[in-house]
Every structure is written in structure tokens, then in C-alpha cells.
Amino acid sequence: MVRKKEWEDFMAVGRVPTGLNHDILASWQRSAKHSVAGRTRAPVVNDDELEGRRVQARRLGRAARSALNRAGNLLIGTRDILLLSDDAGVVIDTVGDPHTLSQAEENHLHTGGHWIEEAIGTNAIGTALHLGAPTLIQDAEHFCEAIQRWNCAATPITDPGTGRILGVVDISWPGGIQQPNAVALSSALALQMETELTHMLGHEREILLEQSHIRRLRRGSGPMLIMDRSGANVFSTENFARFYDDDIDLEQLRKRLPALIDQPAEQIGEVLADCLKSTDFEVISDRDEPIGILIALKRSRLRAQTNRSTATELEQIASAGEASAALCAQARRLAETGISILIEGETGTGKSFLARAIHNASKQSDEPFEMLDCAQLTEETLRNCFASDHQCIGKGTLCLNSPGAVPASIQKLLLTLVEQFMEQGGRIIALSARSLYEEMRGNNFRGDLYYRIAGARLEITPLRERAGEIAPLLRQLVQSHAAETGRRELRFSPGAVGVLKNYAWPGNLLEMRNLVAALDALSPTGLIDERILPREFRQPARRNGSDTLRDVERAGILDALEAEDGNLSRVAKRLGIARSTLYLKLDSYGIETRRKT
């Protein structure tokens, strides 16, 4: 600990005390540049500024309230006081021993006191803010002599989302008294407050997710992103990254948002207007307090991006083969009407892509296309849609994903939403992986809701029943993946294509898309033969409950090839057939291999 004489020698001739803590010496040197040595008390902000700082630091105040209340009661009679400052070192709250609080007023160690180093020299609050670490300042370690009547231990409080310092919790007590656990207590209180801030951030993110459904209904389904107060993504449409390419502006906004979000919503809006071009934005609040922002592309920009496509989605789907062409012919005729459409098909068959294609081929293509995940709907979400301040109803297309997952208790509310949407000129497209008609017959789905959304029905047959379309669809997905990633286009050997044609594809197009991405990542050359395919593809799954004789024979040949490492002489012997017969069967099944003798 620094003795008073050592402090006097430093102030008089600059002599550094032996063994002086490096952080305290650095703080003294900084303080000497600010000409504050003669000050007897910290500056005090006026009442208006204090109130403004409390409003600015309201999240910190709420997070600290419980810890301050508990500690305040425990500190009565201990001669200790507890102070909470904001990130500028202004004390915004105090609790503790009443007698010590009264003594502290003499040095303005109370609310409104400004305790940065530039204002009052070395002290626990100001030095902790500068160092960003727990700090203990005792007796003559304070730079200003009048403040040496105090001992102080302070710890910064950091934002869990960004790591930014929000303020400091400080324990102060009269000089001459040793409290070896003061820093630990200050750190424990700071940790309690940071834990509460973490809970608050998690709650805000839940609200933002809940509100994302309402905002999307109200604004439409264009590219949209929702950030929390830390600048982290809470929700993003799949197409936001594809259509919004101003990455530099977006990253700058992420950095500015943590400091900006505690400002009034109007001020946040002004900054957003300067930061983001060709976008619409919205400040999302909870009980009049901003908690996040929504960014959406303006329709004019979205149309310009979308019009770059050289072919319509329906044409792309139809090009796969006869079954898809027949489906798209029906879809094209329905697109010209306003009738509601129910699209049914197994998981991964491309229901949502077909729905968007129908919307884009309709007269409402310039209006929003909204995908609503019915499995996530709650009574509160649906009721909010009808509240006066959350008008969700408008033109465009409302696509209901998995309406059969809506609990019976709120199907009536969904029916009301559907009816109002249609009355306003909007169109309904519903997607279901199970038969809604059978659900209705089993009294699990309302009949009036079913007939509202199933004006016409389109059924996408599973991929295993469209073997002739597997190769064209594979080419489309390979080309699409290469365009999206900027990587090479995979090439498939005839043998690999033959294997894929015989595969049952339980995951349909979704499984095929995943396969293409995985093979692109794992293949060193980009050339795919059947040996590179995952094992389950080389052992065809059952079709319609049983394997055909060709399935069984083909699987047996593949197993023999693997067991004999491609040596055709040993494979033929293993199978009990002549090598010439084996060659014919390899060609028949489209199996390509290096023929080892």
C-alpha cells in the first residue's frame, strides 16, 4: 500500500514509490496531465443530465436492481456503501450504510457524481473503466488528496451480447479500514448483474422471434432480417443473404447498433435511414423500449433482382419430365385464378418451391408472398394479428405451411385470419405432407377451414415414383448448387446415375440437395462414381414394401464388388457366374468399375 509520504514525493518531484502497482502508476501519470490534483470533490452533473443518463442506462439499472436491494439491506451498519455508475463514470444509484452515505456527500460520492479519471484522478470507478478490469484503490493511492479518506473496490459490468462495458459496481468505505474481500464482493455483484442481463437478452430474443411472425404477415415475405440489440441475427428469411449484398453497410450497422439501441426509436430510425439504402426498416420495441430492428428490401429493388432470372420457376420444374410437366400445366392454369390451392406431397418434394412459382406466375407476383409456419403458431400470435396496432391483413399470397399441425383449439382463429386475408383480395396456398382430407374425416381438422384452403388440390408425387426425372433433377440441383456457391459443377458417371435412379429417395429433393452439397465438399475431383456414393445409396431401399429381383441382384453385385475390391474374376467366382455374364450384368445395371483381372 502507498504511504502518504510516498504520494507527496511523487506529487512534488515525480519520485515513483518502490513497488508501486504498475496500473496505479499509469493512472497517476494520466491524472497528472488533467490538472486535477487540487480537487476536493468530483464534478456533479445537473438533474436533467442525471435523468437522461439513467434513461440511457435503464437496462443496466433494471439488471442491477435486485442485487442493489439485497446488498443495500446487508450493508446497513457496516460502514460500506455500494455505487452503480454508467459507462461514463456517472453514479446513477447508491445504497448502503446511511451514515457513510452522508459522509460521502462531502466528496460527491453520490448520485450524479462524475468519477472518471479526467475529472477526479485515480479512483476505483474511473480506473476500472479505463482498465476494463476489477480495481482496488486504497488511501494514498487516490490521486487527489481529499479523496484519500476513502477506500474503493470496483468491477466493470459488461454486456453479455457484445462485451461492451455498460457501467461499474463500486464498494466504498472510510480509509484506514482493511477489507481484503472487497474486490471479490464487487466482482460477485457484477457477475450477478451480468447474469440478469443475459436473462433479459434471452427474453428479448424470444419476443423478437414471436414478433417475427406478425411482422412478416404485415410486411410480406420479401427478404427480411431481424437483429437483437447486440447486432446478432435473431431471424432471417432464406433469401435475405441472396438479395441483400451491401455487406459493408450491414456490418457497420451491427457495430453501431449496441450503442444506438438505447436511444429513442425516432433517433434510431434517423441513423438507420443513413446507414441502409434501398431498404425498409422498423424498430421493434417491448413496452416502448427498443429491443431490436427489422430490415427488409424495398419491393422495387427485390423486383429488379428477381427479374434477372432467365426462366420462370414453373418452366424450371416442368423441364424435369412428364410428371412434372403435367403438374406445372395444372399449376399454371390455377395461377391465373384467385382460387385457394392445397399442395400435398411428402417431405422434401418441393411444395414450397411450387407455391412460390405459382405466386410468381400470377397477377399478384408484385405483391408479398408470406410463408407462415403453422407449427409455430400460438393463440397469442394469432390474436396479435387482429390487434389494432398489428394489421396483418393485405393483398398478396399467404402460404400456410403444415396447417394440419395447428391445435384444434386455435383452428378457428386461423380460419378467421384466412377469411379476412381472402376478403382483402389475398390468396391462400397451403402445404401439407399428410392428407388434410383424411385429417378432416378423422375430426382432427375443421371442415370449414379445410374447404377454405383447399379450393383446388395439387399433389406432388414422391421422387421414387418419378425415376425418369431423377437424372434431370440431379442436373438442375448440381447447376443450382454451383451457381449459389461459386464452385465447380459435379460430374456423375453413368454408373453413379444408375445407382441414383434405383434409389428410393425417402427424403425426395431435399435429400438430393443434401447429397449434392455433401459430395461437393468431400470429392477432391468433382467426378462422382458409384463407389463414392454413401453406402445407403448403393444398397437400394425397399420400394412399396418389397425389393424387386433386379434390386436384390444389383445389390448382390455391388456387395461382391466391394468385398473383392473390384476384382472381376473373383467377383464372378463369388457370384457363381461367368465373367462374360458379369460384364453383361454390369452394363445392364449401369455399374461402372475398374475391371481388375
Side-chain angles (χ1 to χ4, degrees):
M1 184 183 299
V2 177
R3 297 190 301 272
K4 185 64 172 285
K5 180 65 168 60
E6 292 176 318
W7 172 83
E8 291 174 345
D9 289 344
F10 176 85
M11 298 298 290
V13 297
R15 182 182 297 124
V16 177
T18 302
L20 179 64
N21 180 283
H22 177 270
D23 288 335
I24 294 177
L25 173 59
S27 178
W28 281 6
Q29 292 170 338
R30 290 192 299 271
S31 301
K33 298 177 182 179
H34 298 301
S35 303
V36 296
R39 293 186 180 176
T40 60
R41 60 186 65 182
V44 178
V45 301
N46 60 43
D47 291 344
D48 289 341
E49 184 176 353
L50 175 60
E51 182 58 29
R53 289 186 176 276
R54 281 174 166 164
V55 171
Q56 239 358 67
R58 56 189 178 275
R59 270 185 83 246
L60 174 62
R62 285 202 304 273
R65 177 47 45 199
S66 178
L68 289 177
N69 287 341
R70 289 195 301 269
N73 293 329
L74 293 173
L75 294 179
I76 294 176
T78 65
R79 304 193 70 185
D80 292 344
I81 59 175
L82 191 63
L83 301 93
L84 180 69
S85 86
D86 67 5
D87 60 350
V90 175
V91 179
I92 58 176
D93 208 347
T94 60
V95 296
D97 183 68
H99 179 69
T100 308
L101 285 171
S102 178
Q103 287 181 311
E105 291 184 3
E106 181 178 341
N107 302 108
H108 291 168
L109 197 58
H110 56 57
T111 53
H114 198 183
W115 286 85
I116 56 172
E117 287 185 342
E118 294 89 331
I120 194 63
T122 305
N123 71 92
I125 293 176
T127 305
L129 279 173
H130 183 88
L131 296 175
T135 302
L136 174 65
I137 305 294
Q138 302 180 85
D139 301 321
E141 291 175 342
H142 289 88
F143 186 77
C144 295
E145 184 174 16
I147 312 303
Q148 293 174 358
R149 58 192 293 244
W150 295 101
N151 291 333
C152 307
T155 302
I157 304 161
T158 59
D159 187 310
T162 63
R164 183 171 64 96
I165 294 178
L166 300 179
V168 171
V169 58
D170 170 88
I171 300 172
S172 294
W173 66 97
I177 302 174
Q178 297 299 311
Q179 294 206 33
N181 297 322
V183 174
L185 177 57
S186 172
S187 297
L189 290 170
L191 180 60
Q192 289 183 37
M193 297 172 190
E194 289 171 354
T195 300
E196 182 60 26
L197 284 166
T198 299
H199 292 159
M200 291 167 59
L201 180 61
H203 178 65
E204 289 178 355
R205 289 175 67 88
E206 289 177 0
I207 293 174
L208 290 171
L209 281 172
E210 182 75 16
Q211 291 297 315
S212 67
H213 294 295
I214 297 169
R215 288 330 196 261
R216 292 189 72 197
L217 279 171
R218 190 174 66 190
R219 302 184 67 93
S221 67
M224 187 179 79
L225 171 69
I226 293 179
M227 295 182 187
D228 67 12
R229 64 171 52 252
S230 69
N233 290 0
V234 174
F235 170 83
S236 177
T237 57
E238 294 180 357
N239 56 355
F240 183 84
R242 179 158 55 96
F243 284 110
Y244 191 82
D245 52 9
D246 296 334
D247 293 337
I248 295 177
D249 288 345
L250 199 60
E251 289 308 309
Q252 289 179 345
L253 176 62
R254 289 187 196 279
K255 294 177 181 177
R256 297 184 63 180
L257 190 58
L260 178 66
I261 197 67
D262 290 323
Q263 303 293 332
E266 299 78 13
Q267 187 171 341
I268 298 174
E270 292 176 1
V271 174
L272 291 178
D274 291 336
C275 286
L276 302 174
K277 308 301 181 183
S278 302
T279 61
D280 290 321
F281 55 82
E282 181 179 352
V283 178
I284 302 178
S285 300
D286 177 40
R287 291 172 295 184
D288 297 325
E289 180 178 333
I291 61 173
I293 62 169
L294 177 150
I295 304 167
L297 261 65
K298 291 182 177 178
R299 290 179 186 172
S300 58
R301 175 173 176 172
L302 180 58
R303 283 197 296 271
Q305 296 272 16
T306 304
N307 288 340
R308 296 175 186 171
S309 174
T310 58
T312 68
E313 293 93 337
L314 285 178
E315 290 173 348
Q316 181 182 350
I317 297 171
S319 66
E322 184 178 343
S324 293
L327 174 68
C328 289
Q330 296 177 3
R332 187 174 290 105
R333 289 192 290 270
L334 290 173
E336 298 172 356
T337 73
I339 193 171
S340 60
I341 303 172
L342 172 61
I343 303 175
E344 294 182 321
E346 293 180 1
T347 299
T349 49
K351 297 185 293 295
S352 61
F353 189 79
L354 177 60
R356 289 182 183 273
I358 292 172
H359 169 78
N360 290 335
S362 72
K363 297 178 181 179
Q364 296 173 309
S365 59
D366 286 342
E367 299 296 332
F369 176 91
E370 168 59 27
M371 178 71 74
L372 182 62
D373 186 359
C374 295
Q376 301 297 320
L377 288 179
T378 64
E379 181 175 352
E380 181 181 1
T381 302
L382 284 169
R383 290 195 182 281
N384 282 339
C385 285
F386 305 115
S388 59
D389 58 340
H390 292 107
Q391 293 299 320
C392 307
I393 310 302
K395 293 183 179 180
T397 299
L398 177 60
C399 187
L400 306 177
N401 187 27
S402 302
V406 175
S409 59
I410 62 173
Q411 287 181 14
K412 174 61 176 176
L413 286 174
L414 180 59
L415 172 63
T416 302
L417 174 64
V418 167
E419 289 177 337
Q420 292 191 16
F421 192 84
M422 296 177 73
E423 288 172 1
Q424 295 294 323
R427 180 184 207 153
I428 297 294
I429 299 180
L431 315 177
S432 181
R434 55 190 178 184
S435 172
L436 283 188
Y437 181 76
E438 294 300 327
E439 292 291 310
M440 179 187 67
R441 291 188 59 187
N443 295 320
N444 296 318
F445 197 76
R446 293 178 64 103
D448 49 4
L449 178 55
Y450 174 81
Y451 289 111
R452 273 292 189 183
I453 66 177
R457 291 176 62 246
L458 293 175
E459 182 177 359
I460 305 179
T461 56
L463 199 52
R464 63 180 173 274
E465 298 178 16
R466 293 183 282 147
E469 296 189 0
I470 289 175
L473 287 170
L474 181 63
R475 284 195 298 273
Q476 288 182 10
L477 290 179
V478 165
Q479 292 169 357
S480 175
H481 176 76
E484 290 175 1
T485 62
R487 290 169 59 85
R488 66 200 172 180
E489 287 190 15
L490 296 178
R491 293 168 296 138
F492 288 79
S493 71
V497 173
V499 170
L500 296 178
K501 285 181 178 179
N502 283 285
Y503 182 61
W505 295 104
N508 294 291
L509 289 174
L510 179 59
E511 185 180 11
M512 185 179 287
R513 185 176 294 110
N514 292 340
L515 175 67
V516 169
L519 291 175
D520 183 36
L522 297 174
S523 172
T525 65
L527 176 61
I528 310 299
D529 64 26
E530 67 269 23
R531 291 171 299 176
I532 298 177
L533 295 174
R535 187 179 185 86
E536 62 269 22
F537 287 84
R538 291 181 280 115
Q539 295 179 341
R542 292 180 180 272
R543 299 172 183 262
N544 301 322
S546 63
D547 288 337
T548 66
L549 290 175
R550 283 180 59 84
D551 290 335
V552 173
E553 186 175 50
R554 187 178 191 282
I557 293 174
L558 288 171
D559 287 342
L561 283 167
E562 183 173 2
E564 300 297 345
D565 193 28
N567 187 304
L568 297 187
S569 295
R570 294 202 301 266
V571 169
K573 185 175 181 180
R574 186 185 187 95
L575 295 173
I577 59 178
R579 284 185 59 186
S580 58
T581 303
L582 175 60
Y583 293 152
L584 291 174
K585 290 184 179 294
L586 291 174
D587 291 338
S588 172
Y589 290 121
I591 299 175
E592 189 175 271
T593 184
R594 295 175 184 173
R595 299 182 177 182
K596 300 180 182 179
T597 59

